[in-house]
Amino acid sequence: MFLAAISAAKAQVWERTQADTLSVQVFFGRGSSAIESGFMDNGASIERFFSALDRLSRQPGTQIDSVLIISSSSSPEGNSRLNDRLSDRRARALETLLKEKGLRDVRFIIRSAGEDWERLSLLLKASGIEGSEEAARLIDRTPMFTIRNGRIVGSRKKTLMEYDYGRFWWKMDEKVFPLLRQATVHVFHSTRTGHDGGQEMAPGSIALKPRTALAPERMPQPLVPAEPVGPGISQRARGAGRKPLFAFKTNLLFDAASLVNLGLEVPLGRRFSLAAECYFPWWQNWDKDITIQLLAGDIEGRYWLGDRSRRKPLTGFFVGLYGGAGYFDFQLGKLTDGKGMQGDFFMMGGLSAGYAHSIGRSFRLEYSLGVGYLRCDTREYEVARDTKYGDIKVIQYPWESKRTSGILPTKASVSLVWLLSSRKGGAR
């Protein structure tokens, strides 16, 4: 884009004259088209530029052929249409400044690039930031908008903001986006030598190269990035960066058996998460000799496999390490001949594995199985009715507990997961 614009301008300068270029690069604040000498290194760059331009104008035979202003001055935050207008205003601000400094009778060529994705991709490839190469590939291969059934369902901006759960967007906001908010002035000039009729042309000798890198201490302070808003995109489809906070879950297998349960899982970086589940059904029907009472919980650390830069949070395959404990009282009427079983205390621990996939924007379906060590002490009882204390549970003598232990499956779940995320937002 830049090389094409410069080549087109050079082709339009004075015939039979070889032109040289005097250039300066000016940076702008977020959402601003004001030229501030105190911002980044603008003051020193502009001073050197006009000093060189003044020396150039004093050279005999020197002629300014044209001025090309290329404004790729908008980083990708904010509304795309407003960014295009902002890019044009920055270019016009430089045009006004140059005319005030005496370049009035010169042809001005304005190239307003708006959101310059090509330049962003090049800056990322040269930045050395962790994950920048993958982000550049996402820019290169993702279309500006994805349209399905006549509706915009995705965009390049949305894809980039969701990369690495939105964390990479903050890195770009601090280290890359300030380099995009700029405009470059190219003054094409030429010098005549010799006499009329048989003159020879010699190029001018002054060129001021724009800076492409800035010292960290000269960088502006990072601000909060805004939602990217493209034309015609609904609020729901806008590409705001989303940071996963935590997820609620329930085991559908336990729900089907009327075993009330609730789980919570918290992502810890790209590959790790910490999950906890508790089970607390407390049903009892004396007439039918049915008791389902359970108070138990477990905690599990998980490691998520695969390329996490391409995966949504809490999706894909995982392996885990878990441990849990609790106690229970089960009596199932005719199925157990009216007898019941109490677990004074049990504990378990082992290895788990599973898979989760998306079934909506914020919902997942998760399948997991755990195998490990279980130790459980149990006692059988019968129900004695119509005693002076009412119906009571009687443990026959001798009052011994039976211990069960060994390696066996101790976890199984088909869970519905609801992921809650924060939405990043901010100024354009």
Side-chain angles (χ1 to χ4, degrees), residues 307-327:
D307 185 354
R308 303 317 303 172
S309 65
R310 298 174 181 269
R311 282 282 186 184
K312 294 181 179 180
L314 303 186
T315 60
F317 289 97
F318 65 86
V319 293
L321 181 67
Y322 68 92
Y327 64 90

Side-chain angles (χ1 to χ4, degrees), residues 285-331:
N285 188 322
W286 284 103
D287 295 335
K288 296 183 179 180
D289 293 333
I290 293 177
T291 298
I292 301 177
Q293 295 178 344
L294 173 65
L295 184 59
D298 62 66
I299 188 168
E300 179 181 5
R302 291 179 172 180
Y303 178 81
W304 293 85
L305 306 173
D307 185 354
R308 303 317 303 172
S309 65
R310 298 174 181 269
R311 282 282 186 184
K312 294 181 179 180
L314 303 186
T315 60
F317 289 97
F318 65 86
V319 293
L321 181 67
Y322 68 92
Y327 64 90
F328 62 88
D329 185 346
F330 292 148
Q331 184 183 11

